Amino acid sequence: MSQKNPFNPSSSEYASASASAATMAPSLGEAHSSMKVPQNVAWWKKFLAFVGPGYLVAVGYMDPGNWATDIAGGSQFGYTLLSVILFSNMMAIVLQSLAGKLGIVTGRDLAQACRERFSAPVVMMLWILCELAIAATDLAEVIGSAIALKLLFNIPMLYGVIITAVDVLLILVLQNKGFRALETLVIVLMATIALCFGIDLFLAKPDMGGVLHGFVPSTEILQNPAMLYIAIGIIGATVMPHNLYLHSSIVQTRQIEQTTQGKREAIRYTTMDSTIALTLALFINAAILIVSAAVFHSAGMTQVAEISDAYHLLTPLLGTTIASVLFGVALLASGQNSTLTGTLAGQIVMEGFLNIRIPAWLRRLVTRLIAIIPAVIVTAIAGERGTEELLILSQVILSLQLPFAVIPLVMFTSDKKSMGPFANKLWLKIVSWTIAAIIVVLNVYLIIQTFMLF
């Protein structure tokens, strides 16, 4: 009797799973197909109806976990690593477009697709890994928000960590007002971050020639071990696994025509939305590194790597307190924005992998506590130094899980049986599998190097 291969079910098995998908409850059931897309209107009006999910995804690419690597990269190596930020952002644009396409075409998010395609033990393993990754990501965002509260209002870290739990209530209130309200808040917070760093960029007066040159890849990155380590850290902190699950679900909040033409149109507008949003994330990540390079590296301060150090040094070096205040406000907005979407992703993977339906408030409370409890315990016992080490550990856990989200995504979107005419073309298969291979290799290298530091 032949055994079922958990990673390669037969076409009949998958056809059966696809048929059962019609009866499977959609993820984020309270928001599924809740937003109508106008028909017979100008293209830009229709595009505006799709604007939103891309920004919820983009906040994960500028969360506090990215700040330390950007600050360290700028202070140590000037503008050189801007090319790495650009490269990692291009990879993110490709992967997020695949996640959006999967949700639109199949009507299932990435977690649900894994549940249908793989055996129960594999699904359970993927769910546990994903929950760990979300907790690790959320942990960095909780600590980032707590650092911002301490810097801006001198609130002790322990209390700051606890305060961040309030965002669970905020999500419930906003979703009761409709999913668009949540998207609007995220966009406003993103605009706040962009404005703050836009002003800091103006105050820092960077060398524009050096900035443009920094976006050109340099062989020095591969030849310098210290530079390569931070470069890999930037890539590892940029591509977030939970964003792939999140995007494949929230694109389904739009009520589209379930025809080939309707899906094709939705994919086009969704890809435009995420690409524009991720371009804004590119600007913000690049701005963090540019400010660090212009202020710290140019002054010979090449060892600035901590967020709190950067905050305290901006004022004396730029001669105005507004720079530090804007930096702190941007950090707080970044932390809160990311915790909102992280909590939402936690709900999606729990529902998708386990097909569990529990009250919305309880789902969000559980996913929130998974991140807050470790942060509270470590902060209470070890203080701020302990939270810094916890941040490092969170990034290692995140790196471990990333291939387990990227590889299934590329597999599913390349499968003609499930995607039909929307399956990845040959050139896209080559690009996406190359990206997956690069991410796996670089993250393995980063994990090995991180453990060697201890």
Side-chain angles (χ1 to χ4, degrees):
M1 184 177 179
S2 61
Q3 289 186 330
K4 173 184 175 182
N5 183 343
F7 290 100
N8 188 26
S10 68
S11 58
S12 61
E13 288 172 332
Y14 187 58
S16 176
S18 299
S20 66
T23 59
M24 178 182 287
S27 58
L28 296 181
E30 62 272 28
H32 184 79
S33 295
S34 61
M35 299 174 63
K36 292 185 178 180
V37 175
Q39 303 298 323
N40 303 317
V41 295
W43 73 267
W44 61 269
K45 289 184 178 180
K46 185 168 288 190
F47 167 64
L48 288 177
F50 285 92
V51 170
Y55 292 87
L56 267 70
V57 168
V59 298
Y61 292 88
M62 63 183 80
D63 75 332
N66 291 21
W67 286 48
T69 53
D70 291 338
I71 291 170
S75 68
Q76 288 188 47
F77 307 111
Y79 306 111
T80 307
L81 295 180
L82 282 173
S83 60
V84 177
I85 292 179
L86 176 61
F87 177 66
S88 60
N89 210 80
M90 291 171 65
M91 292 197 302
I93 286 173
V94 174
L95 292 176
Q96 292 301 160
S97 68
L98 295 183
K101 182 168 71 171
L102 177 70
I104 290 169
V105 174
T106 66
R108 298 183 296 280
D109 59 56
L110 181 56
Q112 290 175 324
C114 287
R115 184 171 182 270
E116 291 178 0
R117 292 292 300 266
F118 301 146
S119 65
V122 173
V123 169
M124 186 59 63
M125 179 195 71
L126 290 175
W127 173 67
I128 292 172
L129 287 170
C130 191
E131 289 289 0
L132 286 173
I134 291 174
T137 306
D138 213 11
L139 190 57
E141 292 151 0
V142 166
I143 293 173
S145 295
I147 291 173
L149 290 172
K150 184 178 186 299
L151 295 175
L152 290 171
F153 308 110
N154 203 29
I155 296 174
M157 284 284 293
L158 179 59
Y159 298 146
V161 168
I162 296 172
I163 288 172
T164 60
V166 175
D167 80 314
V168 178
L169 302 176
L170 183 60
I171 291 179
L172 286 171
V173 171
L174 287 174
Q175 277 208 275
N176 286 337
K177 295 181 178 297
F179 201 77
R180 179 59 91 181
L182 186 60
E183 293 176 343
T184 301
L185 173 63
V186 166
I187 292 173
V188 169
L189 288 174
M190 273 190 71
T192 301
I193 300 168
L195 177 62
C196 288
F197 269 105
I199 297 173
D200 271 349
L201 271 178
F202 175 77
L203 295 172
K205 296 181 174 59
D207 173 18
M208 294 310 298
V211 170
L212 293 176
H213 188 264
F215 281 110
V216 179
S218 170
T219 55
E220 184 185 1
I221 297 173
L222 299 176
Q223 296 167 353
N224 185 332
M227 192 179 291
L228 179 62
Y229 179 72
I230 293 181
I232 294 172
I234 290 173
I235 294 174
T238 299
V239 184
M240 296 287 187
H242 75 277
N243 277 334
L244 303 177
Y245 294 97
L246 176 68
H247 200 198
S248 60
S249 175
I250 59 179
V251 293
Q252 299 179 52
T253 57
R254 271 55 183 178
Q255 194 178 103
I256 66 170
E257 293 183 0
Q258 294 300 316
T259 61
T260 299
Q261 180 57 33
K263 290 180 178 180
R264 197 178 302 280
E265 184 180 67
I267 291 170
R268 181 169 68 251
Y269 289 130
T270 295
T271 302
M272 287 172 60
D273 171 49
S274 61
T275 301
I276 293 171
L278 288 171
T279 301
L280 178 57
L282 167 65
F283 163 77
I284 292 171
N285 274 330
I288 297 171
L289 188 143
I290 292 169
V291 168
S292 179
V295 178
F296 307 133
H297 185 76
S298 62
M301 305 178 69
T302 60
Q303 298 304 314
V304 179
E306 299 295 335
I307 293 173
S308 55
D309 291 341
Y311 172 87
H312 290 300
L313 289 169
L314 279 174
T315 293
L317 289 174
L318 291 179
T320 174
T321 57
I322 189 65
S324 291
V325 171
L326 290 171
F327 183 90
V329 170
L331 176 61
L332 183 60
S334 173
Q336 281 306 108
N337 229 354
S338 301
T339 53
L340 287 173
T341 56
T343 305
L344 207 57
Q347 173 185 343
I348 290 166
V349 299
M350 182 181 290
E351 291 183 348
F353 278 117
L354 304 182
N355 201 25
I356 290 177
R357 294 294 183 272
I358 57 178
W361 66 269
L362 182 57
R363 288 194 301 265
R364 297 193 179 104
L365 183 61
V366 168
T367 53
R368 207 75 194 90
L369 289 177
I370 289 174
I372 288 178
I373 290 175
V376 169
I377 293 172
V378 172
T379 305
I381 296 174
E384 291 184 39
R385 177 61 184 169
T387 59
E388 292 172 7
E389 294 177 354
L390 200 59
L391 273 175
I392 295 174
L393 178 61
S394 72
Q395 295 306 303
V396 173
I397 294 172
L398 196 62
S399 298
L400 277 168
Q401 205 279 330
L402 189 54
F404 294 97
V406 173
I407 292 174
L409 175 65
V410 178
M411 283 176 54
F412 298 156
T413 53
S414 299
D415 183 10
K416 289 185 177 180
K417 292 185 181 69
S418 59
M419 298 296 291
F422 301 101
N424 297 338
K425 301 293 188 288
L426 178 60
W427 69 268
L428 186 53
K429 286 182 183 179
I430 294 172
V431 170
S432 55
W433 278 118
T434 301
I435 290 173
I438 290 172
I439 287 174
V440 170
V441 172
L442 292 184
N443 276 280
V444 168
Y445 179 86
L446 178 62
I447 292 165
I448 293 172
Q449 291 296 311
T450 301
F451 278 116
M452 288 175 65
L453 292 176
F454 289 98

